[in-house]
Amino acid sequence: MKKNESRPSRSGLSRRDLLIGAARSGAAITLSQLLPNEFTAAFAQNTIKGKEKLIVRSLRPEDLETPVSLLNTWITPNDLFYVRHHTYAARVDEQAAKEWKVEIDGEVERPMAITLEELKKLPKASVTVTLECAGNGRAFFDPPIPGIQWEKGAVGTARFSGARLSDVLKKVGVKAAGKYVAINGADKPVGTQPKFIRNLPMAKAMQADTILAYEMNGEPIPALHGYPLRAVAPGWEGAYSVKWLNRIQVIDKEQEGFFVKTAYRYPNKPVAPGAAVPPENMVPLTGLVVKSFINAPLEGASFKPGKVRIAGFAWAGESFITKVEVSKDNGSTWTLAKLGKERERYAWQSFEYEFTITQPGSHLLMARATDDKGNVQPVAPQWNPSGYLWNVIDKVRINVEA
Ligand code: MTE
């Protein structure tokens, strides 16, 4: 081993890897400070407890991607659901959950703190939602874009249940001046990072499907997904679905913080790849765009000449999918795939088709979805400075044996 070379640990992670992991998290800590804490095991094993099957994009804060091979059920089980936060997750035990309160103030008639128990007494609403991080697919942009290098799996579908945000807002009485709802969680910023506060325009906040969820797939919201309470803004990019929710402020104009004024913004006109965009030309992201991915076959799979089943999921934020087309000849010709029977407004829809491919060699399979507004997945990406909303036609290369 050369002088400056790092010695790998039994887990394959070197001291250098551990320090880089720490540095990436933004925390000014040394390895010796890291060792005694609860994250040592996570660093050593490079997994997060309860999420062992996920790809670790960052250990702390936990940013975990679901391998496409596991995204093959309409409902994504909680242990396979991707995780994304900018901050240190709030750690809330059962006792703290029992005492959980959401402070509500700002442009309201009756500011109040509403407890989780009180929220549970309001009518319970359930909504099946495909939650996707705006940065899903960032790794594919060219020129590359800094940030978590998500590939295809920062997305999943869950059934969330909770109280309607509109019921809560009716309880406090929104004044005429109230235009936005700023939502804030109990997670801790990393170092000097600003608080993760997001804001929902009043119309979205008042939609009957926008909920404060205390259940995910029939279980209490898991710790990393915002236990005991999170917002769910169906069809909108995932950052609106604030986790560990404990503060709601009704405000008269857009919130001023970094996660509203700077992050999660998109150019108001198409820009050249690599271009710098002045802040005044950036507008907030809202709904997710039409998109699909192929979960079978997997990249590089080998087949005997004959039948090859292609399958996957397609979604379009607040819109319905109307068709998914598939191709086995580099997109020269397209065939309608069969759509699955599970169809809900904010949830992905499965598709499948059986090709016959007899010619041995390397074949490119493709899928392209269309929504009920006529939006179609593009052939080429729209580059943007933060690498959001990647939705290019999905492709998988397979091999047909001789
Ligand atoms: N809520 C808080 N409090 N802090 C965060 O950093 N990240 C958001 C959102 N809610 C975030 C948050 C982002 S960017 C996404 S994509 C979703 O949570 C991810 O939700 P999940 O981890 O449950 O999949």
Side-chain angles (χ1 to χ4, degrees), residues 81-87 131 133 185 187 196 224-225 230 238-239 241-244 264:
F81 209 96
Y82 83 97
V83 174
R84 167 60 169 148
H85 35 262
H86 298 258
T87 49
L131 194 68
C133 181
D187 45 340
F196 188 81
L224 291 175
H225 297 289
R230 75 174 303 169
S241 292
V242 172
K243 306 193 275 191
W244 309 286
Y264 297 106

Side-chain angles (χ1 to χ4, degrees), residues 27-340:
I29 41 180
T30 63
L31 185 62
S32 56
Q33 280 170 297
L34 253 178
L35 282 174
N37 76 23
E38 65 200 280
F39 292 98
T40 311
F43 273 94
Q45 290 152 18
N46 207 29
T47 59
I48 296 289
K49 201 161 169 274
K51 295 281 189 184
E52 288 81 0
K53 292 185 180 150
L54 303 196
I55 303 160
V56 175
R57 298 281 176 217
S58 158
L59 272 173
R60 197 176 180 225
E62 301 88 343
D63 290 309
L64 313 172
E65 175 166 348
T66 315
V68 167
S69 59
L70 301 179
L71 286 176
N72 51 15
T73 51
W74 188 59
I75 295 291
T76 313
N78 290 351
D79 62 334
L80 298 182
F81 209 96
Y82 83 97
V83 174
R84 167 60 169 148
H85 35 262
H86 298 258
T87 49
Y88 294 134
R91 289 163 188 278
V92 182
D93 60 22
E94 250 178 78
Q95 187 54 37
K98 275 196 191 119
E99 293 158 15
W100 196 259
K101 285 193 190 104
V102 184
E103 305 277 348
I104 312 169
D105 58 14
E107 301 291 341
V108 298
E109 305 291 348
R110 295 170 291 282
M112 65 171 75
I114 186 162
T115 65
L116 184 58
E117 292 313 310
E118 286 166 332
L119 283 173
K120 287 185 179 169
K121 288 186 188 129
L122 292 174
K124 186 172 175 180
S126 294
V127 54
T128 307
V129 175
T130 293
L131 194 68
E132 185 187 18
C133 181
N136 194 24
R138 180 178 292 122
F140 304 128
F141 281 100
D142 186 21
I145 296 163
I148 303 276
Q149 297 300 298
W150 302 110
E151 294 183 6
K152 298 184 186 179
V155 62
T157 297
R159 187 143 183 90
F160 292 98
S161 303
R164 293 192 173 88
L165 177 56
S166 58
D167 284 346
V168 174
L169 293 174
K170 280 175 207 154
K171 237 172 141 49
V172 294
V174 174
K175 290 186 183 165
K179 299 283 182 287
Y180 293 93
V181 177
I183 42 180
N184 192 346
D187 45 340
K188 297 270 177 301
V190 175
T192 55
Q193 186 196 41
K195 276 225 73 175
F196 188 81
I197 305 175
R198 297 281 296 150
N199 81 182
L200 282 165
M202 193 55 73
K204 183 67 179 171
M206 283 299 199
Q207 246 179 34
D209 295 321
T210 299
I211 62 172
L212 307 183
Y214 42 78
E215 281 175 19
M216 178 173 180
N217 294 333
E219 293 169 9
I221 298 273
L224 291 175
H225 297 289
Y227 179 77
L229 190 71
R230 75 174 303 169
V232 176
W236 283 29
E237 55 89 6
Y240 285 95
S241 292
V242 172
K243 306 193 275 191
W244 309 286
L245 187 104
N246 64 358
R247 177 97 198 270
I248 293 177
Q249 246 186 320
V250 177
I251 49 181
D252 57 356
K253 54 180 188 313
E254 228 177 32
Q255 206 266 345
E256 291 294 326
F258 173 83
F259 288 105
V260 174
K261 283 284 182 198
T262 306
Y264 297 106
R265 291 197 162 231
Y266 198 86
N268 60 6
K269 58 172 194 267
V271 299
V277 184
E280 62 274 20
N281 291 351
M282 300 289 280
V283 294
L285 289 174
T286 54
L288 293 170
V289 291
V290 65
K291 184 162 175 179
S292 66
F293 68 83
I294 299 165
N295 58 20
L298 296 175
E299 180 72 26
S302 258
F303 290 84
K304 299 234 168 330
K307 307 275 185 216
V308 176
R309 177 179 169 270
I310 179 173
F313 288 106
W315 67 99
E318 294 182 297
S319 303
F320 279 99
I321 291 296
T322 47
K323 64 177 176 185
V324 177
E325 297 155 293
V326 289
S327 172
K328 60 171 181 176
D329 55 10
N330 306 311
S332 296
T333 61
W334 293 88
T335 311
L336 271 187
K338 188 172 158 236
L339 294 179

